[in-house]
Amino acid sequence: MSGPWRTVARVLTEAFQPPIVVTALLLISPAIEPGFPGTMGFGLLGALFVCVLPLAYVLVMIRLGRITDHHVSDRRQRPPLLWLALISVLAGVGVLQLIGGPMSVSVMIIALLGGIAVLAVVSAFWKMSGHASAIAAAAVITVLMFGPAWLPLLVIVPAVGWSRVVLRAHTLGQVVAGSLFGGTVIAGLWWLLREWML
């Protein structure tokens, strides 16, 4: 596919790339506890460890020629990045606990940690879509947090999946698997942790 549809696909891919989606999710994560929106700063701190530091690593590796692009399209380049992201995420949880941040932010980070761990293992064998996983998890969690009025947000999930297939970054199977993984496993883990820890 070429022309304007490919441009739309590129816009969707860039606008809903995992670091942006996860940052937004972490910013709203304290909404299930008293003090929101004043507690959004803790979500931003979480995003520093979950999104900003791993992305900074990617950009440095691109400059050094060790990673091809910021979407880490080469499956073989993904495992080291994902393991580094795991370490960064664990550090973020530790810092939030030390400063007495809202447990809801830590719950979100731990759920994402579980997702990153699975993606790290799967990426060694198969290129499941990180874009699809992130947007599906974010959409489902947002609906669970704020109620049925947010159900239209789920339309973004197939739109982002479509963009990844059009750009030939993933097969349909990889996108579907990523969507199901994010929307059920990551969102389900978040739900269970919320019930257990809050």
Side-chain angles (χ1 to χ4, degrees):
M1 190 177 291
S2 59
W5 286 114
R6 192 168 181 83
T7 301
V8 171
R10 280 202 195 95
V11 169
L12 285 169
T13 280
E14 295 300 330
F16 295 102
Q17 58 185 287
I20 294 173
V21 171
V22 172
T23 296
L25 195 53
L26 285 164
L27 285 173
I28 64 168
S29 63
I32 58 175
E33 288 189 89
F36 186 82
T39 50
M40 288 178 73
F42 291 102
L44 190 61
L45 179 62
L48 172 67
F49 288 93
V50 177
C51 303
V52 177
L53 293 179
L55 181 60
Y57 168 81
V58 168
L59 295 177
V60 169
M61 290 297 104
I62 290 172
R63 184 171 286 272
L64 293 175
R66 296 180 186 173
I67 290 179
T68 51
D69 61 271
H70 67 288
H71 294 303
V72 197
S73 300
D74 187 337
R75 174 179 58 79
R76 295 166 298 180
Q77 297 169 353
R78 289 186 170 196
L81 165 64
L82 289 167
W83 289 119
L84 178 88
L86 282 173
I87 294 168
S88 183
V89 167
L90 285 170
V93 172
V95 169
L96 283 165
Q97 293 301 308
L98 283 173
I99 65 174
M103 186 56 70
S104 52
V105 179
S106 294
V107 164
M108 187 70 75
I109 292 175
I110 294 168
L112 293 168
L113 178 66
I116 293 169
V118 173
L119 282 172
V121 173
V122 172
S123 289
F125 309 98
W126 195 53
K127 190 181 166 188
M128 186 162 64
S129 174
H131 277 73
S133 297
I135 194 63
V140 172
I141 289 172
T142 301
V143 172
L144 291 172
M145 287 176 71
F146 299 116
W150 289 81
L151 280 169
L153 197 62
L154 295 174
V155 174
I156 299 173
V157 177
V160 172
W162 167 83
S163 76
R164 302 304 288 152
V165 173
V166 166
L167 296 174
R168 297 183 179 177
H170 290 284
T171 64
L172 179 60
Q174 291 166 343
V175 165
V176 170
S179 300
L180 291 173
F181 175 73
T184 58
V185 178
I186 298 177
L189 181 58
W190 172 82
W191 178 266
L192 290 173
L193 288 169
R194 187 184 80 163
E195 295 297 305
W196 176 46
M197 298 175 71
L198 294 179

